Amino acid sequence: MGKRCIRIIALFLIVCMGSLCGCVSKQEQNTGKNQGGASEKEKSLLDMPGDNGDYIVVGFSQVGSESDWRNASTESFRKMFTAENGYYLLYEDAQQKQENQLKDVRNFILQEVDYIILDPIVETGWDTVLKEAKDAGIPVILVDRMVEVKDDSLYTCWVGSNFEKEGLDAGEWLESYLKQQERDREKIRIVTLQGTMESSAQLGRTEGFRKILDTHKKWDMLERRSGEFTQAKGKEVMDDFLSKYKDIDVVVSENDNMTFGAIEAIESSGKSCGPGGNIIVISFDAVSAALELMRRGKINVDFECNPILGPMVSDIIQRLERGKEVEKIQYVEEQHFDASMNLKEILKNRLY
Ligand code: GYE
């Protein structure tokens, strides 16, 4: 069965369910949505007696499920893009493969979705497929990671984090922490667990930290290697670093899940980490499980990256539906957490 066919059946089922239980709010008809959307056949299905209005059909191509951050991101979109909120979500998990995302986007175009949400695994290689979406008149909203394209009119807008700033902040934090510990004249040996190579989060965090590193002659970056944003790979790479380099002072881990793996590796090598331990641990994401480990003294600092992008993307779509302009680039607000804070209190209200 073709996906187009699935879409028609799905829309039909939504209409029937809506009319049976009457629980979906009524929306105005003919509001100009579905420009690239429902075919005549689909419209006639939606026009059946008891029709609850137009659903905005959204195709979302997600990176995968490599981390706690990613799972929180998926949940945020699933929670937001519901029938109750007037959406029909086509969700695809690309399992870390760009080729899957290229297929997802092309399938969304074939299905004539109203909007495409894309979290691009890597930055390059998008020009052709985004041009296809543009030619089909389907707005593409990029979330979290960025694309590098020659023509930025190929996407409508982007919403996510300033990864380079996160890396810079991490470098500055280390600078002042070492000063505070009176270690600013010492040689400092650093290793980095990088995320998925060529992803925006990896590129930005590496580059931001590098800018501070370059100003410190005594900081020695022993090695950077990818742990692919996963706990298992993070452990494997950290095991290797620990056997290769005898005195590691700092690990910069480009996400929390790799940090979890790194902590396992450090502890099973007989060393300790966190404030007062042998190795300073700098992490990114600030998911609850990491703040809990920080509370237990194993992580020094964690730079927040907010995965709750669903509501912001829905606002963007609602503006576009009303024919309004949207900001091309929107950064989400972020902070960092360190072991001196009242983490118990912070954890009580943490959303992810
Ligand atoms: O830091 C990591 C995830 O792109 C910001 O991807 C995201 C990163 C996040 O798997 O945990």
Side-chain angles (χ1 to χ4, degrees):
M1 190 178 357
K3 283 208 173 177
R4 189 177 168 77
C5 189
I6 295 173
R7 181 188 171 187
I8 294 169
I9 294 171
L11 287 169
F12 179 71
L13 286 175
I14 291 171
V15 170
C16 292
M17 276 162 54
S19 59
L20 278 179
C21 65
C23 58
V24 183
S25 67
K26 191 137 193 122
Q27 291 194 359
E28 290 232 332
Q29 292 265 309
N30 306 323
T31 49
K33 62 184 62 151
N34 284 342
Q35 300 105 323
S39 65
E40 281 318 301
K41 190 169 175 195
E42 290 162 10
K43 277 186 187 144
S44 67
L45 283 171
L46 290 165
D47 282 336
M48 283 171 61
D51 172 14
N52 282 291
D54 284 340
Y55 285 86
I56 301 172
V57 182
V58 173
F60 175 32
S61 178
Q62 174 64 295
V63 167
S65 55
E66 71 282 3
S67 64
D68 289 20
W69 189 99
R70 186 63 53 202
N71 297 339
S73 154
T74 301
E75 201 192 317
S76 163
F77 283 96
R78 284 200 189 279
K79 261 192 178 156
M80 190 67 233
F81 291 93
T82 59
E84 287 80 0
N85 291 333
Y87 296 105
Y88 183 73
L89 178 67
L90 296 164
Y91 172 82
E92 296 293 345
D93 175 341
Q95 304 191 354
Q96 313 297 325
K97 292 200 179 76
Q98 183 181 29
E99 65 202 74
N100 289 342
Q101 293 200 297
L102 296 172
K103 274 188 220 144
D104 294 342
V105 173
R106 292 195 165 110
N107 277 330
F108 294 150
I109 296 171
L110 276 175
Q111 291 170 90
E112 299 178 0
V113 300
D114 299 313
Y115 295 89
I116 292 172
I117 305 174
L118 171 65
D119 189 331
I121 295 167
V122 291
E123 295 199 341
T124 54
W126 298 102
D127 298 75
T128 312
V129 80
L130 291 183
K131 174 87 172 46
E132 289 166 25
K134 190 181 174 191
D135 289 346
I138 303 174
V140 175
I141 299 166
L142 300 174
V143 296
D144 166 32
R145 300 182 184 175
M146 238 304 178
V147 296
E148 197 190 298
V149 283
K150 286 187 208 84
D151 170 8
D152 74 0
S153 76
L154 293 181
Y155 60 89
T156 303
C157 58
W158 171 88
V159 45
S161 306
N162 189 336
F163 302 119
E164 185 167 333
K165 181 172 184 301
E166 292 172 0
L168 266 171
D169 289 349
E172 281 171 359
W173 177 88
L174 183 61
E175 206 170 60
S176 62
Y177 183 75
L178 291 172
K179 206 174 260 168
Q180 189 195 311
Q181 300 285 308
E182 297 174 356
R183 293 180 67 187
D184 49 331
R185 282 162 210 268
E186 277 177 35
K187 184 175 166 74
I188 301 294
R189 298 164 203 84
I190 309 170
V191 291
T192 299
L193 297 171
Q194 293 175 291
T196 302
M197 295 311 282
E198 305 302 321
S199 68
S200 304
Q202 178 272 313
L203 292 168
R205 289 168 184 166
T206 301
E207 188 48 30
F209 191 83
R210 185 205 311 272
K211 286 196 170 146
I212 306 298
L213 174 80
D214 286 351
T215 66
H216 290 274
K217 291 210 178 62
K218 297 228 160 194
W219 291 12
D220 183 8
M221 182 61 72
L222 300 170
E223 192 170 336
R224 298 183 182 95
R225 204 189 299 169
S226 180
E228 293 163 14
F229 282 137
T230 68
Q231 179 164 348
K233 194 76 189 171
K235 178 176 184 307
E236 191 187 307
V237 176
M238 194 65 201
D239 275 334
D240 202 49
F241 282 165
L242 286 160
S243 56
K244 207 164 154 189
Y245 306 106
K246 291 299 151 231
D247 298 300
I248 298 173
D249 299 297
V250 181
V251 54
V252 178
S253 167
E254 290 180 355
N255 88 338
D256 283 340
N257 288 74
M258 293 191 296
T259 304
F260 304 155
I263 293 171
E264 282 179 52
I266 292 167
E267 292 186 337
S268 63
S269 78
K271 294 198 165 165
S272 60
C273 55
N278 309 119
I279 301 179
I280 296 168
V281 179
I282 298 177
S283 193
F284 296 86
D285 284 355
V287 298
S288 296
L291 296 187
E292 180 54 35
L293 281 174
M294 184 184 286
R295 197 180 69 80
R296 286 163 42 200
K298 295 176 197 274
I299 296 176
N300 295 71
V301 68
D302 207 326
F303 293 83
E304 182 177 49
C305 184
N306 188 345
I308 315 293
L309 302 179
M312 284 177 82
V313 175
S314 173
D315 285 351
I316 290 170
I317 290 178
Q318 294 305 325
R319 282 184 69 81
L320 293 169
E321 286 288 294
R322 294 194 303 270
K324 296 219 168 130
E325 293 277 302
V326 294
E327 269 180 68
K328 190 83 184 177
I329 303 286
Q330 283 187 53
Y331 289 109
V332 288
E333 296 253 325
E334 284 157 350
Q335 55 176 321
H336 73 264
F337 299 93
D338 69 51
S340 71
M341 295 174 172
N342 185 347
L343 295 160
K344 203 171 167 197
E345 216 33 52
I346 291 165
L347 275 161
K348 277 189 194 154
N349 306 311
R350 200 79 186 139
L351 292 175
Y352 53 91

Coordinates of all heavy atoms in Angstrom, one line a residue, residues 66-67 69-70 144-145 163 201 205 229 254-255 285 305, ligand 1:
E66 N 19.5 8.1 19.5 CA 20.8 7.8 20.1 C 21.0 8.3 21.6 O 21.9 7.8 22.2 CB 21.9 8.5 19.2 CG 22.0 10.0 19.2 CD 20.9 10.7 18.4 OE1 20.0 10.0 17.9 OE2 20.9 12.0 18.3
S67 N 20.2 9.2 22.0 CA 20.5 9.8 23.3 C 19.2 10.2 24.1 O 18.1 10.3 23.5 CB 21.3 11.1 23.1 OG 20.5 12.1 22.4
W69 N 18.6 13.2 25.1 CA 18.2 14.4 24.4 C 17.3 14.1 23.2 O 16.2 14.7 23.1 CB 19.4 15.2 24.0 CG 19.2 16.6 23.5 CD1 19.4 17.7 24.2 CD2 18.7 17.0 22.2 NE1 19.0 18.8 23.5 CE2 18.6 18.4 22.2 CE3 18.3 16.3 21.0 CZ2 18.1 19.1 21.1 CZ3 17.8 17.0 19.9 CH2 17.8 18.4 20.0
R70 N 17.7 13.2 22.4 CA 16.9 12.9 21.2 C 15.6 12.4 21.6 O 14.6 12.7 20.9 CB 17.7 11.8 20.4 CG 17.2 11.5 19.1 CD 17.1 12.6 18.1 NE 18.4 13.2 18.0 CZ 18.6 14.5 17.5 NH1 17.6 15.2 17.2 NH2 19.8 15.0 17.4
D144 N 16.9 21.9 15.4 CA 18.1 21.4 16.1 C 19.4 21.6 15.2 O 20.1 22.5 15.5 CB 17.8 20.0 16.5 CG 19.1 19.2 16.9 OD1 20.0 19.9 17.5 OD2 19.2 18.0 16.8
R145 N 19.6 20.7 14.3 CA 20.8 20.8 13.5 C 20.6 21.6 12.2 O 19.5 21.8 11.8 CB 21.4 19.4 13.2 CG 21.7 18.6 14.4 CD 22.2 17.3 14.2 NE 22.4 16.5 15.4 CZ 22.8 15.3 15.4 NH1 23.0 14.6 14.3 NH2 22.9 14.7 16.6
F163 N 25.3 26.1 19.2 CA 26.3 25.1 19.6 C 27.7 25.7 19.8 O 28.4 25.3 20.7 CB 26.4 23.9 18.6 CG 25.1 23.3 18.4 CD1 24.4 23.2 17.2 CD2 24.4 22.7 19.5 CE1 23.2 22.6 17.0 CE2 23.2 22.0 19.3 CZ 22.6 22.0 18.1
A201 N 25.9 20.0 16.0 CA 26.2 19.9 17.4 C 27.7 19.6 17.6 O 28.4 20.2 18.5 CB 25.3 18.9 18.2
R205 N 30.2 22.7 18.9 CA 30.8 22.5 20.2 C 32.3 22.4 20.1 O 33.1 22.9 20.9 CB 30.2 21.3 20.9 CG 28.8 21.6 21.3 CD 28.0 20.3 21.8 NE 26.6 20.7 22.1 CZ 25.6 19.9 22.2 NH1 25.8 18.6 22.1 NH2 24.4 20.3 22.4
F229 N 27.8 10.2 20.0 CA 26.6 10.7 20.8 C 26.0 9.5 21.6 O 24.9 9.7 22.1 CB 25.6 11.4 20.0 CG 25.9 12.8 19.7 CD1 25.6 13.3 18.4 CD2 26.4 13.7 20.6 CE1 25.9 14.7 18.0 CE2 26.7 15.0 20.3 CZ 26.4 15.5 19.0
E254 N 30.9 15.8 24.3 CA 29.9 16.6 23.5 C 28.4 16.2 23.7 O 27.6 16.8 23.1 CB 30.3 16.7 22.1 CG 31.6 17.5 21.9 CD 32.1 17.7 20.5 OE1 31.5 17.1 19.6 OE2 33.1 18.4 20.3
N255 N 28.1 15.2 24.5 CA 26.8 15.0 25.0 C 26.7 14.2 26.2 O 27.7 13.5 26.6 CB 25.8 14.5 23.9 CG 25.7 13.0 23.8 OD1 26.6 12.3 24.3 ND2 24.7 12.5 23.2
D285 N 24.1 19.1 27.1 CA 22.7 18.7 27.0 C 22.0 19.0 28.3 O 20.9 19.6 28.3 CB 22.5 17.2 26.8 CG 22.7 16.8 25.3 OD1 22.9 17.7 24.5 OD2 22.6 15.6 25.0
C305 N 21.2 22.2 26.5 CA 20.7 22.2 25.1 C 19.3 21.8 25.2 O 18.9 20.7 25.6 CB 21.5 21.2 24.3 SG 21.1 21.3 22.5
Ligands
GYE1 O1 23.4 17.1 22.0 C1 22.9 14.9 21.4 C2 22.0 14.4 20.3 O2 21.8 17.6 17.9 C3 21.8 18.8 19.9 O3 22.2 15.3 19.3 C4 21.6 17.5 19.3 C5 22.5 16.5 19.8 C6 22.5 16.3 21.3 O4 22.0 13.1 20.1 O5 22.6 14.3 22.7

